Amino acid sequence: MSITETSTTGQASAVSSATQSASPGETFDVLNPGSGEVVNTYPAAGPDEVRAVVERARLAAAWWRAQGTAGRTRVLKRWRSHLVNHADHLIDVVHNETGKPRGDAQLEVVLAVEHLAWATKHAPKVMKRRSVFPGLLMSNMAATLEYQPLGVIGVIGPWNYPVFTPMGSIAYALAAGNAVVFKPSEYTPGVGHWLSNSFAAACAQPVLQCVTGMGATGAALVDAKVDKIAFTGSTATGKRIMAAAAEHLTPVLMECGGKDAMLVDADADLEAAADAATWGAMSNAGQTCVGVERVYVHGDVYDEFVDRVVDKASALTVGSGDDAQIGPITMPKQIGIIAGHISDALDKGGRALLGGPGAVGERVVGPTVLVDVPDDSLAMTEETFGPTIVITRVASMDEAIERTNNSAFGLGSTVFSKARGAELAARIRSGMTAVNSVISFAAIAALPFGGIGDSGFGRIHGADGIREFTRAKSVARQRFAAPLALTSFDRTKKTDELVGKAIKLLHGRAG
Ligand code: NAD
């Protein structure tokens, strides 16, 4: 069966649907978002097939763990080298499946490789057994803590950064000693296959496998009793996955949507801020979870900032050609959402200084700059995921913080300020903040990446991203018999009295 349909905008599309059935033997087409041509056809894996893949992954996980850190490091370095030396091919697959310009595809591959290198290098140190202080009451003990792999991780990915985003889970999970079963987006199954095939070129064991299909294949993976689900995608799907995972008490990592804000203070470098706002909002055609969607600008510099953004955005090239800076919208149904947000903003009193409803085409959306948009507009509250930006004048940075934090989402954020960058960053309710730069936190491998509120929980990247795919293992070993036997029925009244006195001495004083 070919899972294609005609969307509201008249384009044929590979359909994303959580309710679509996906029995073994069915297939679905992936269409090039720029041309509408079929890129390739993939099998939609059903529950039996997914369970079989997870069974294979269980055996591979035991093998992978037994390799130890030295063995795993050797394989992961081989894989990294393969990725780098065949990157052109991967970039083509990303370009054909998502429509994004090749330069943007290269950027995500480069960042993914950086993260793989960091995770490979640091996992042994992060997980290594270490001694911890047992406390005075337990000073006859030696206490050690180590982090052990969980086993099999199910990674469910989105299409917007089909390499960078899932690799934030895959690379860290593998480096932590787990096997991975990856369910890529139905829009980018070729990327998923490419990644697992490239791993196979570096390792004969099925430590990284890929299952393709629609939402139902993802649901089958959640039901397959893996040891953790690492999900990246929309908040709505995240909630469904969490509910399903609860059935087996499977832990979940949720990397969901955002509505990221940028704050521009009166003393900001306006040229740099306008450049960052334009790129942050419109690169990858605005289809970035940590893209800039709202900007709050101090009244003293508002007019100049708006002019600069409009100038920069007007100069962008849009289309499917090699010279385009803004490519097509990958998921056809998103075009209707973007159009809805623009018209809702205008209906409620907003103005389009650039673009607007006329910028919404069949496959592409032109840059759109909106101002005077009320706070209750969809463009201010929901993820737009298009090359649009809403700029709002504020009287002070306190007001900017208040309006920024008045959102159900809390993924990334940006601050442009010469004097108050760190202070303002600390007050924003979001997982990450870039100061006088944009989205820079995603490229620093040592920094954990993730959100709060409707943007999800848990972290990829950094040491926290390694621990996310491990369990803490605590061991307390008695070195010598304690003078006071606490954990025995032989404990005497005298011991109880001494313990009562000791705890007062240790913790009784407030100062
Ligand atoms: P989506 O939620 O539609 O799909 C994500 C994945 O979930 C796909 O592989 C899909 O097949 C699968 N899926 C769908 N229903 C499922 C179910 N019931 N059970 C299991 N799996 C199911 O999201 P999308 O449109 O692919 O991605 C765009 C979204 O991802 C945006 O909201 C964006 O902000 C978010 N995103 C977040 C981050 C982050 O790090 N926080 C990064 C990239 C994208």
Side-chain angles (χ1 to χ4, degrees), residues 16-18 156-161 165 183-187 213-220 222 231-238 240-241 254-258 288-290 331 333-334 383 385 411 449-451 455 460:
S16 170
S17 163
I156 300 177
W159 48 266
N160 62 330
Y161 287 88
T165 291
K183 205 303 264 178
S185 165
E186 49 274 44
Y187 291 92
M214 323 297 286
T217 302
V222 176
F231 169 74
T232 309
S234 62
T235 305
T237 305
R240 278 199 293 273
I241 288 178
M254 288 283 144
E255 296 285 354
C256 303
T288 303
C289 55
V290 285
M331 193 167 63
K333 75 174 180 210
Q334 195 67 28
E383 194 175 45
F385 237 49
L411 193 54
F449 183 104
S455 296
I460 54 172

